[in-house]
Amino acid sequence: MDVKKIKPKQNKFKSMPVIGGLAICLLAALTWYVSANAGGTSVKRNDLLFGTVKQGDLQVEIEGYGALRSDKQLLITSLTSATVQEIVLKPGALVTPNSIIVQLANPELQQLLDSAVQELSQRKANLRQLKLSHQREILNESGSFAEMEASYETAKVRLEAQSGLVKSGIVSVLAYKESLVHEAQLKKRIKIHHQRTAALKLVNQEVINIQLEQIKQQQGQLDIAQNRLDRLTVRAGFSGVLQRLSVELGQSLAAGQEIALIGSVQDLIALVRVPQSKAQQIFIGQKAIVDTRRDKIVGTVSRIDPVVVENTVEIEIALPDQLPASARPQLSVDAVIITDILTNITYMERPVNGKANSNSNLFRLDESHNTAMIIAVKFGKEAGRYIEIIEGGKVNDTFIVSDLSLLKNSELTIENF
């Protein structure tokens, strides 16, 4: 027997609560819109930020960010091609001029040094042999000169003896004249020998000087080879900290390739970046305060980079010689550059979106009625989180510095809860 199924009827009132809720929301939104445009808007006091107008002196400051850098740095490069044999120190290590950082290896340099040593030894041996040869030559000349001088003395004695006997006829005139000529020839030969010996000594000395110059050049080649071999032991060069090590164990290096960067520890400067729009207010010699998060260091602007990078300008700040322990290379810092001191001005906390030398509409608080009325305010110079008020505000006035630019009402109700 078949059972007839009866389809239940849908409840037309089941969706009514949803529709009623939407209607209530729309009605509430409409009511707020009408009340907001018809009268004032209510805002809780805890949701607002307030600024009070003050009078006095105010420093114009420009904030920047950056890091400490070593004022003195030494970049160490490879003098020749080599292989990294040993890494002795790593970045962050304190070093002295003789501290060994890396040990390199190059067998060819040792061969060049050995060849240079052998060549120098050979040239020195040649010089000794040359001096002996010259000494032998001088001795031979001295022997010849001694014989010639002896012959000359004999000729002189004979000539003196014959000069008395030629008158008596014992010695013929011809023999006397022959003796006279012989004596004169020997005297001339002795003079020529003196000149020859002197010239020979000069020539020999010049030859020795040439050999000495060649030895000196070879000694220079040896020193270069020795220096290149010694440079395989890479040393720091001056006292500081190893800031960067650019090599790895077993790496092959080419001549001129960077090995390490050494920076001073005490001689530090601060390199900070400031907005391009405010850089024109900065001049060399202005006072700056560098914050290391632990200490504040007073410095002086020493250089302004003319290049703009990403809408910022780099400012170099010179720091004193004596620095606190927290100051070290590569440390991130904040800086405040004091560009001016405004005396006896009216100022307040800078409102959101408030800009120097501009006009703005701010809500001024009326404490007696818990209301705020919109007032036109003219701003002057900006000093960090403060800004000068030229018109529209007087001392002890309180303004709302929160962003209320979306409100179109001229009056605002402040709720205390």
Side-chain angles (χ1 to χ4, degrees), residues 34-261:
V34 172
S35 62
N37 288 276
T41 302
S42 297
V43 181
K44 292 183 179 180
R45 183 181 294 270
N46 293 337
D47 295 337
L48 299 176
L49 297 176
F50 299 93
T52 303
V53 178
K54 302 176 183 179
Q55 188 171 12
D57 298 341
L58 187 63
Q59 291 186 155
V60 179
E61 301 174 347
I62 296 178
E63 298 179 351
Y65 64 93
L68 298 182
R69 294 286 187 273
S70 298
D71 190 23
K72 297 179 181 178
Q73 291 183 320
L74 176 63
L75 182 65
I76 303 176
T77 59
S78 176
L79 185 65
T80 182
S81 58
T83 303
V84 180
Q85 188 177 50
E86 180 184 5
I87 295 178
V88 180
L89 298 177
K90 295 182 179 180
L94 295 176
V95 296
T96 61
N98 291 324
S99 296
I100 299 176
I101 301 174
V102 174
Q103 180 65 54
L104 305 179
N106 187 340
E108 295 181 359
L109 291 183
Q110 185 63 51
Q111 295 178 0
L112 291 175
L113 179 63
D114 295 340
S115 299
V117 170
Q118 293 177 1
E119 182 66 22
L120 181 61
S121 299
Q122 183 62 42
R123 290 185 180 276
K124 288 182 177 181
N126 293 340
L127 177 61
R128 292 194 297 270
Q129 184 178 2
L130 185 62
K131 287 181 177 180
L132 291 175
S133 177
H134 290 170
Q135 187 176 5
R136 187 183 306 111
E137 190 174 0
I138 294 298
L139 289 175
N140 292 336
E141 290 294 329
S142 298
S144 299
F145 175 75
E147 293 178 1
M148 191 180 301
E149 195 173 30
S151 299
Y152 174 68
E153 293 295 331
T154 302
K156 282 176 63 178
V157 172
R158 178 178 296 178
L159 182 62
E160 290 176 358
Q162 289 181 346
S163 62
L165 298 174
V166 71
K167 296 178 180 179
S168 60
I170 298 176
V171 177
S172 63
V173 176
L174 179 61
Y176 175 73
K177 288 184 177 182
E178 287 179 350
S179 297
L180 186 63
V181 171
H182 182 61
E183 188 268 345
Q185 289 179 344
L186 288 175
K187 184 177 181 180
K188 189 175 182 179
R189 287 179 61 187
I190 289 175
K191 182 179 180 181
I192 294 174
H193 191 277
H194 276 296
Q195 295 175 349
R196 178 183 174 185
T197 302
L200 181 61
K201 288 181 178 180
L202 290 176
V203 171
N204 289 345
Q205 186 59 47
E206 186 62 25
V207 173
I208 290 175
N209 290 339
I210 293 174
Q211 190 66 24
L212 288 173
E213 185 65 27
Q214 293 178 349
I215 291 176
K216 183 179 179 180
Q217 293 177 358
Q218 185 59 37
Q219 182 66 52
Q221 295 295 327
L222 175 60
D223 293 341
I224 292 174
Q226 183 65 56
N227 181 58
R228 294 176 68 183
L229 187 64
D230 293 341
R231 288 285 295 273
L232 293 178
T233 302
V234 181
R235 301 180 185 273
F238 75 96
S239 298
V241 62
L242 178 57
Q243 295 183 353
R244 185 169 68 234
L245 185 64
S246 305
V247 298
E248 297 178 355
L249 190 65
Q251 180 180 349
S252 296
L253 303 179
Q257 188 169 344
E258 178 182 336
I259 296 177
L261 178 66

Side-chain angles (χ1 to χ4, degrees), residues 190-405:
I190 289 175
K191 182 179 180 181
I192 294 174
H193 191 277
H194 276 296
Q195 295 175 349
R196 178 183 174 185
T197 302
L200 181 61
K201 288 181 178 180
L202 290 176
V203 171
N204 289 345
Q205 186 59 47
E206 186 62 25
V207 173
I208 290 175
N209 290 339
I210 293 174
Q211 190 66 24
L212 288 173
E213 185 65 27
Q214 293 178 349
I215 291 176
K216 183 179 179 180
Q217 293 177 358
Q218 185 59 37
Q219 182 66 52
Q221 295 295 327
L222 175 60
D223 293 341
I224 292 174
Q226 183 65 56
N227 181 58
R228 294 176 68 183
L229 187 64
D230 293 341
R231 288 285 295 273
L232 293 178
T233 302
V234 181
R235 301 180 185 273
F238 75 96
S239 298
V241 62
L242 178 57
Q243 295 183 353
R244 185 169 68 234
L245 185 64
S246 305
V247 298
E248 297 178 355
L249 190 65
Q251 180 180 349
S252 296
L253 303 179
Q257 188 169 344
E258 178 182 336
I259 296 177
L261 178 66
I262 309 297
S264 57
V265 178
Q266 291 298 323
D267 297 329
L268 300 180
I269 58 174
L271 296 179
V272 299
R273 308 201 72 86
V274 300
Q276 176 189 357
S277 59
K278 298 182 179 180
Q280 58 185 358
Q281 305 177 34
I282 301 176
F283 298 96
I284 293 177
Q286 290 177 336
K287 180 181 176 181
I289 300 176
V290 178
D291 188 357
T292 66
R293 306 321 194 268
R294 289 181 55 188
D295 301 283
K296 292 186 177 181
I297 308 170
V298 178
T300 305
V301 176
S302 58
R303 185 180 63 86
I304 302 173
D305 198 320
V307 180
V308 178
V309 179
E310 296 180 354
N311 296 323
T312 62
V313 175
E314 186 178 70
I315 306 297
E316 179 179 310
I317 301 175
L319 302 178
D321 295 335
Q322 299 297 327
L323 296 175
S326 61
R328 61 182 185 274
Q330 312 299 328
L331 177 67
S332 297
V333 296
D334 295 326
V336 173
I337 301 172
I338 302 172
T339 60
D340 195 6
I341 298 179
L342 305 177
T343 58
N344 196 25
I345 66 166
T346 303
Y347 65 94
M348 63 174 289
E349 287 85 352
R350 181 168 55 87
V352 177
N353 300 325
K355 296 182 180 179
N357 303 314
S358 65
N359 297 321
S360 180
N361 293 324
L362 297 180
F363 284 95
R364 185 174 62 188
L365 184 65
D366 185 354
E367 291 288 354
S368 60
H369 299 89
N370 288 331
T371 58
M373 297 293 295
I374 196 164
I375 300 294
V377 179
K378 183 178 181 180
F379 295 129
K381 294 183 178 180
E382 181 182 340
R385 65 188 188 93
Y386 296 99
I387 193 167
E388 180 186 12
I389 296 179
I390 298 177
E391 296 178 1
K394 61 182 184 297
V395 178
N396 295 327
D397 282 350
T398 300
F399 288 91
I400 298 176
V401 297
S402 302
D403 185 10
L404 300 178
S405 58

Side-chain angles (χ1 to χ4, degrees), residues 9-17 19:
K9 295 182 180 180
Q10 293 183 352
N11 190 354
K12 296 182 179 181
F13 298 98
K14 187 176 182 180
S15 58
M16 287 300 292
I19 298 175

